[in-house]
Amino acid sequence: MTQTSNAASQIQMLDSGYSREARSLLYQAYRHEPTFRYLFEAQHRGYEQRVRATVRELVKQHFLQDLPALGLLVNDRLVGIALIAPPQRRLGITESWAWQLRMLLSTGLRCTRRYLDYHQAVQACVPGDAVHMLPLLGIHPEFQGLHYGEQLLEAVHNWCAEDKHSEGVVLDTGNPHYQDFYKRQGYVEIGEVAIGPVLEHVFFHANPQVLHTETA
């Protein structure tokens, strides 16, 4: 069924009640991504199960730590999501031994190690501590190309700008199509990392001016 951008959409903060929908959406958004295909060995049997397990554990840990997540809903269906790691708490997921153990049991030692190495390499490109990061960001494939990605990112930028301790937003991608998209949204490249055969690009977007005036 073809979707249209005329459908009513809204942005809202998500809680763990959206966990199942978030996992399904992010699985669809990431399973064909070059970075995930390398990290979780798409050429070997069980790749889709490893991607599902990784997304499940990342989403579970995100909500367990009560970290923010912004969702874009169209006619009450979750079609876009951004998991947000604030400046003071952005390392918590991969530093959790419980998370690492669950990853080892569900994706294996080699894939877990690859993911941790990838995460650390991206972190090394980040310009200081005063930024928000987007560990997972996606629009459901059925709704791509309808400008919902722009709506979601605009909401993320404005939400992060409310934090006086944050200078902006950092994200990364190994997908050339998304690189051009992020540049059109005002991101600048601040680093690149070789993830096996994939060149991962790290982008930064400075916080916009908050659109309201604070009252005394």
Side-chain angles (χ1 to χ4, degrees), residues 29-71:
Y30 275 87
R31 66 191 179 113
H32 296 305
E33 286 302 294
T35 304
F36 266 50
R37 290 183 61 81
Y38 169 74
L39 292 175
F40 303 108
E41 301 181 329
Q43 74 276 18
H44 293 154
R45 183 178 180 181
Y47 167 70
E48 292 193 350
Q49 288 82 356
R50 290 189 291 276
V51 173
R52 286 186 187 276
T54 299
V55 169
R56 180 187 69 236
E57 296 305 335
L58 288 171
V59 171
K60 178 179 180 180
Q61 191 71 12
H62 195 86
F63 285 124
L64 277 175
Q65 294 183 321
D66 198 28
L67 295 175
L70 276 180

Side-chain angles (χ1 to χ4, degrees), residues 76-90:
D76 296 323
R77 176 183 175 183
L78 184 67
V79 304
I81 187 171
L83 302 188
I84 304 172
Q88 301 85 354
R89 303 177 61 190
R90 64 174 193 245

Side-chain angles (χ1 to χ4, degrees), residues 20 73 82 91 97 129 136 140 143 172 184:
R20 183 174 181 178
L73 288 84
L91 296 177
W97 284 106
D129 295 329
L136 290 176
H140 194 286
F143 290 80
D172 62 279
R184 292 196 300 270

Side-chain angles (χ1 to χ4, degrees), residues 8 10 12 29 34 53 55 64 69 88 95 103-104 111 127 136 148-149 153-154 159 201:
Q10 66 181 64
Q12 71 178 58
V55 169
L64 277 175
Q88 301 85 354
E95 287 186 342
M103 281 290 289
L104 284 168
C111 291
L136 290 176
Y148 291 125
L153 278 179
E154 182 180 10
W159 187 88
H201 295 259

